[in-house]
Amino acid sequence: FAMFLQSLYGAVDLLVVGKYALAQDVSGVAVGSQIMQTITGLVSSFAMGTTILLGQTIGEGRREAGGRVIGTSVVLFLLVGAALTALVPLLSSSLAQVMNAPAEAFAETRQYIAICGLGSVMIVAYNVLGSILRGLGDSRTPLMTVAIASVCNIAGDLLLVAGLHMGAPGAAIATVASQTVSVLVSLWVLRRRTLPFSITGKDVRISPPILRRMLRFGTPIALQDLLVGLSFLVILAIVTLAISNIVGVLESYINSWVSQRIVFDMKNEMFSHLQTMPHSFFTSEKQGDIITRMNSDISGVATVISSILTNIVSNVCTVVTTIVALFRIDAKLSLIGILVIPLLVIPTKSAGKNRW
């Protein structure tokens, strides 16, 4: 359940951004959060090797080896976190391009990925600390820390997105800050806990035998989750491209059809109205003004009305298509995510009322 709460960071960001930010911010968070969720799932699954090996070591009564397991895990994932922190921001543009991020939302997608990438070390740190706690037989503390971080994430989104109007970058900062909170809480708990073994400075290094066993346990789980995550990203990229093309065609067609119908009806009504006007009206008004009203003014009104209508249609199509795609991928997880939305709407509505 802790991993499920951790995966909802992107959903919370998307909900708040959709309420208080622009359409391009929503698209940026939607695409960027899927990439970061895949990275988080990969790290979390890989860290399961630490949980399994630490639990096995304690269960076998080899408590003196527990310190070496934790030391190897800390050094290994410190290197992984440093690599992700350096690479993800540098590759943010390429990742957004691979995911077929819409051109109008490309900058927001890149910013969300880059900022969350800078906080990758916190994502890795939390998952390592959580794996250590689970290996010690404590599964409640990781759940508690993620729950606290989730509350902080909602508060940060409301402050930075709803209050300061920072859009997708604000949502990314809130996500990284909440991950930092979860790391600090986990460290505080570990410092207060009496471990069944001692850890010295000599243990904080990579032990090749322990590393091999850790990789043997964690790699299959990580590969499985990686394949699932990559398949979801591929489907999301295809759906995003398809939706963008379909919505573009529909938008052009509806825009032309609605605009022409509005212009036709308004000009007919105005022409009929002009037939009822007295002769004095035509002598007092300039002919150029009358022609301008019948052409330029009516065309401008028609453009405004048609653009609003096409935006409504395109947004509805995007939401419906996305929901259908999510249910086809995993109906149970999609249903759980939708059921959680009403719980997240309450604080956002309250913040909106307080704001005004």
Side-chain angles (χ1 to χ4, degrees):
F1 191 71
M3 295 180 183
F4 171 71
L5 288 178
Q6 195 175 10
S7 67
L8 283 181
Y9 284 173
V12 173
D13 291 344
L14 190 59
L15 180 64
V16 177
V17 170
K19 179 74 174 179
Y20 297 104
L22 302 176
Q24 53 265 34
D25 292 304
V26 176
S27 180
V29 172
V31 177
S33 63
Q34 293 303 323
I35 294 176
M36 296 311 303
Q37 185 175 337
T38 300
I39 295 175
T40 301
L42 178 62
V43 173
S44 177
S45 301
F46 195 64
M48 286 295 294
T50 300
T51 301
I52 297 171
L53 184 57
L54 184 58
Q56 188 180 77
T57 300
I58 296 175
E60 293 174 351
R62 297 186 296 108
R63 297 179 181 270
E64 70 283 354
R68 295 198 300 273
V69 172
I70 293 179
T72 300
S73 179
V74 168
V75 175
L76 172 63
F77 284 98
L78 181 62
L79 296 175
V80 172
L84 289 175
T85 302
L87 291 177
V88 173
L90 292 176
L91 298 175
S92 59
S93 296
S94 300
L95 292 172
Q97 188 174 5
V98 169
M99 291 300 298
N100 292 321
E104 59 274 10
F106 189 87
E108 287 75 12
T109 304
R110 183 187 60 78
Q111 290 171 354
Y112 186 90
I113 296 173
I115 294 173
C116 289
L118 289 173
S120 295
V121 65
M122 293 301 170
I123 296 175
V124 174
Y126 163 74
N127 284 283
V128 173
L129 293 173
S131 67
I132 293 173
L133 289 168
R134 294 187 188 96
L136 295 172
D138 181 5
S139 60
R140 293 183 179 180
T141 300
L143 176 60
M144 178 191 69
T145 55
V146 174
I148 294 173
S150 298
V151 174
C152 294
N153 188 34
I154 294 174
D157 282 337
L158 293 176
L159 173 63
L160 299 177
V161 179
L164 301 179
H165 308 289
M166 295 179 64
I173 293 173
T175 298
V176 174
S178 63
Q179 293 279 11
T180 304
V181 170
S182 66
V183 171
L184 295 177
V185 173
S186 298
L187 286 173
W188 179 76
V189 172
L190 277 174
R191 286 181 62 86
R192 293 174 59 88
R193 182 182 295 275
T194 301
L195 299 178
F197 48 80
S198 61
I199 302 177
T200 63
K202 296 180 180 180
D203 294 326
V204 185
R205 60 183 179 84
I206 292 181
S207 173
I210 292 177
L211 178 61
R212 285 194 294 269
R213 295 184 63 189
M214 192 179 297
L215 294 177
R216 189 170 71 248
F217 289 135
T219 302
I221 303 174
L223 287 177
Q224 178 183 349
D225 287 347
L226 176 62
L227 292 176
V228 173
L230 289 178
S231 63
F232 185 82
L233 290 178
V234 171
I235 293 173
L236 181 63
I238 296 173
V239 170
T240 302
L241 182 60
I243 291 176
S244 179
N245 292 333
I246 293 173
V247 170
V249 172
L250 289 176
E251 183 176 356
S252 298
Y253 175 78
I254 294 174
N255 188 34
S256 293
W257 185 80
V258 172
S259 298
Q260 294 301 320
R261 290 296 303 177
I262 291 175
V263 171
F264 178 78
D265 293 338
M266 292 184 69
K267 283 188 175 181
N268 278 341
E269 291 183 8
M270 180 169 282
F271 182 76
S272 299
H273 180 68
L274 287 175
Q275 303 302 312
T276 63
M277 299 298 293
H279 186 268
S280 59
F281 172 78
F282 296 98
T283 57
S284 60
E285 294 290 335
K286 296 180 180 180
Q287 294 182 0
D289 292 340
I290 298 175
I291 294 173
T292 299
R293 293 175 186 175
M294 291 192 65
N295 292 314
S296 301
D297 293 354
I298 291 178
S299 298
V301 172
T303 300
V304 172
I305 295 175
S306 62
S307 63
I308 295 174
L309 181 60
T310 52
N311 285 335
I312 293 175
V313 173
S314 63
N315 290 336
V316 170
C317 291
T318 301
V319 171
V320 172
T321 307
T322 302
I323 292 176
V324 171
L326 289 175
F327 270 90
R328 287 182 64 87
I329 295 170
D330 193 326
K332 292 183 180 180
L333 185 58
S334 300
L335 183 60
I336 293 174
I338 292 175
L339 291 176
V340 174
I341 290 177
L343 300 177
L344 302 177
V345 170
I346 297 174
T348 57
K349 282 190 174 181
S350 301
K353 291 179 181 178
N354 295 333
R355 176 186 170 192
W356 294 103

